[in-house]
Amino acid sequence: MAKYMILIYGDAEQWDSMTGEQWEAHNAGHAAFAAKAGTRVLDGRQLEPVPTATSLRADARGQVHTTDGPFLETKEGLGGYYLVEAADLDEVLELARLLPELNHTHSGLEIRPVVEHG
């Protein structure tokens, strides 16, 4: 079994404007995903809003600089993730299609295999 990271991106302003009813439906979508995935979900968390991020970057001299916020200025920020175990990418894609972020035009998912060392 391989491990895959499902990264959840979205526009924080759009999430902030959702009604209580919309959040209930959204959370129900995540519950349906978790129920279907079962023990294949190894971890998953919602992240604090993008403005709370702290970024580190080294310059050409090797000096490390710390800045508030993400590396890139973009409307869509990383909002959460799931770490899942699956036989192959097709299995992960089937599960990921259950996530409610795919019901909104301001959000999306990125799936990446996890490198296993040793």
Side-chain angles (χ1 to χ4, degrees):
M1 291 287 236
K3 292 179 183 165
Y4 295 86
M5 184 70 78
I6 301 173
L7 302 169
I8 301 169
Y9 292 93
D11 181 343
E13 288 181 19
Q14 296 288 327
W15 296 128
D16 290 343
S17 68
M18 286 172 55
T19 67
E21 186 176 282
Q22 289 170 320
W23 273 112
E24 284 181 30
H26 184 80
N27 291 335
H30 279 278
F33 166 82
K36 174 83 175 181
T39 59
R40 291 177 286 188
V41 174
L42 303 176
D43 193 18
R45 299 280 192 273
Q46 180 179 358
L47 301 175
E48 290 291 336
V50 172
T52 66
T54 301
S55 298
L56 301 173
R57 184 169 279 179
D59 63 21
R61 295 179 310 219
Q63 296 280 84
V64 176
H65 301 275
T66 304
T67 58
D68 293 335
F71 278 141
L72 303 174
E73 289 295 324
T74 179
K75 283 194 104 164
E76 288 187 355
L78 182 61
Y81 70 91
Y82 285 104
L83 177 62
V84 298
E85 195 167 49
D88 55 30
L89 179 60
D90 289 335
E91 184 178 356
V92 178
L93 289 171
E94 180 182 330
L95 291 171
R97 285 186 176 94
L98 297 172
L99 290 168
E101 282 73 18
L102 296 179
N103 297 325
H104 304 281
T105 58
H106 65 84
S107 61
L109 307 174
E110 178 182 345
I111 298 170
R112 300 195 40 199
V114 174
V115 176
E116 297 284 346
H117 292 283

